[in-house]
Amino acid sequence: MGHTRKWGTLPPKRPCLWLSQLLLLAGLFHFCSGITPKSVTKRVKETVVLSCDYNTTTEELASLRIYWQKDSKMVLAILLGKVQVWSEYENRTITDINNNPRIVILALRLSDSGTYTCVIQKPDLKGTYKVEHLTSVKLMIRADFPVPTINDLGNPSPNIRRVICSTSGGFPRPYLSWLENGEELNATNTTLSQDPETKLYTISSELDFNMTSNHSFLCLVKYGDLTVSQTFYWQESKPTPSANQHLPWTIIIPVSACGISVIIAVILACLTCRNAARCRRRRRNENMEMERWSVSIKSVEG
């Protein structure tokens, strides 16, 4: 004796086939309705909340079937209160089931861009599940490049300086150029790489320039219709003056005066000592003469 399965109930052995049919039905319904989905723009690694825009009650939630899909792929399903999350969204997608069912996607990726559709099925009086509500949200993910950084790499040769400009974590594919006075310069060793998992780009470029003149370089990164830039200034080095050239006159004059004073003092001291020595010799001579006269007088008297 054959059994008839009601439309809207899950087949016991081929749930994936049934889900594919549901997604196709939801897509056709949305396409034929002519409704333009609302848009939400987020950045990579941010969080987004997508709502079903369906008001319900706690009692009604127990009997609803809620499906979330992105384009033609399943994201999440809630059946009889049990939540199933598909592998691409596992460990970063949670449900917020209240009077307005919604999902929260964490750590957004570029691959999360697309149109998300919430399908709600509700049983009728006969227990047959039918589409009760359907709404779509277009999610756009941006990945902006941060302002580039410019670092000094030193001197590869005399009078030549090398700098590097780099930025990472953006999308789409970028183009980096060096400019001076509005003219593009010849860069060296420009590298571009893309993370195979996140699809985000990293770009860097080196520039050599003559150190003997002043420069103002612009590192410009273009991606899509957007740009980011950083400016590097170089000031020509002046010859280092001698130590004496750095001394102001207010220091030179007092130091010179002190030096002259010391010299004069030394000369005066030398002259004083010389005169004192002469005086001592004169006194000794006079004393000796006096002693001789005294001896002579004593001899006569004797």
Side-chain angles (χ1 to χ4, degrees):
M1 184 174 179
H3 296 278
T4 302
R5 179 173 56 86
K6 295 182 180 180
W7 187 91
T9 59
L10 286 172
K13 295 184 180 180
R14 293 188 296 174
C16 293
L17 177 60
W18 184 87
L19 284 174
S20 300
Q21 293 173 346
L22 174 65
L23 294 177
L24 178 60
L25 178 62
L28 290 174
F29 179 84
H30 179 72
F31 178 78
C32 295
S33 65
I35 300 174
T36 302
K38 63 181 181 180
S39 297
V40 176
T41 300
K42 291 288 182 178
R43 287 181 171 84
V44 169
K45 298 182 181 180
E46 288 186 342
T47 298
V48 67
V49 179
L50 303 177
S51 173
C52 282
D53 292 331
Y54 179 79
N55 294 322
T56 184
T57 63
T58 304
E59 294 77 13
E60 186 185 33
L61 279 173
S63 62
L64 295 179
R65 289 176 176 173
I66 304 173
Y67 304 93
W68 276 98
Q69 68 181 79
K70 190 200 82 171
D71 300 328
S72 59
K73 297 180 180 180
M74 282 297 300
V75 175
L76 180 146
I78 305 174
L79 304 175
L80 301 176
K82 294 183 179 181
V83 179
Q84 180 184 1
V85 181
W86 269 247
S87 59
E88 187 178 347
Y89 295 87
E90 205 168 11
N91 299 324
R92 64 187 188 96
T93 304
I94 58 177
T95 58
D96 183 9
I97 303 176
N98 48 33
N99 59 346
N100 182 9
R102 55 186 181 175
I103 60 172
V104 181
I105 305 177
L106 310 173
L108 288 170
R109 308 168 182 171
L110 281 175
S111 57
D112 292 332
S113 296
T115 300
Y116 289 77
T117 302
C118 174
V119 180
I120 295 181
Q121 286 187 326
K122 183 179 179 180
D124 58 15
L125 296 177
K126 297 180 180 180
T128 302
Y129 278 86
K130 296 181 179 181
V131 175
E132 175 71 13
H133 178 76
L134 186 146
T135 188
S136 294
V137 180
K138 185 176 182 181
L139 177 62
M140 294 181 289
I141 307 297
R142 289 181 53 178
D144 294 329
F145 282 95
V147 174
T149 58
I150 300 178
N151 295 314
D152 192 341
L153 297 181
N155 300 73
S157 59
N159 293 328
I160 299 297
R161 201 77 169 185
R162 177 172 294 171
V163 292
I164 183 171
C165 177
S166 61
T167 185
S168 62
F171 188 89
R173 183 187 181 95
Y175 172 78
L176 190 153
S177 58
W178 289 94
L179 303 173
E180 184 176 27
N181 299 325
E183 295 184 3
E184 187 169 351
L185 306 174
N186 293 324
T188 59
N189 196 23
T190 299
T191 60
L192 176 68
S193 61
Q194 186 180 26
D195 188 293
E197 182 178 352
T198 65
K199 305 303 180 184
L200 300 179
Y201 285 95
T202 295
I203 191 169
S204 65
S205 179
E206 297 176 2
L207 178 70
D208 293 346
F209 63 92
N210 196 315
M211 299 168 52
T212 60
S213 58
N214 298 334
H215 296 282
S216 176
F217 299 119
L218 179 69
C219 174
L220 180 66
V221 178
K222 296 181 179 179
Y223 60 107
D225 298 330
L226 303 175
T227 61
V228 288
S229 62
Q230 181 67 275
T231 303
F232 177 81
Y233 299 98
W234 175 262
Q235 190 74 26
E236 176 190 3
S237 299
K238 301 291 183 180
T240 304
S242 63
N244 292 336
Q245 290 178 321
H246 284 293
L247 295 175
W249 285 108
T250 54
I251 296 178
I252 294 176
I253 292 176
V255 170
S256 301
C258 290
I260 293 173
S261 300
V262 171
I263 293 173
I264 293 174
V266 171
I267 294 173
L268 291 175
C270 292
L271 292 175
T272 302
C273 292
R274 190 174 182 181
N275 291 333
R278 288 178 179 177
C279 291
R280 285 194 297 272
R281 284 197 300 273
R282 187 181 297 114
R283 289 193 190 96
R284 282 197 302 269
N285 292 335
E286 290 176 353
N287 291 334
M288 291 175 65
E289 288 293 330
M290 290 295 293
E291 289 178 357
R292 283 198 296 269
W293 279 103
S294 297
V295 172
S296 298
I297 292 172
K298 288 179 180 180
S299 299
V300 173
E301 291 177 351

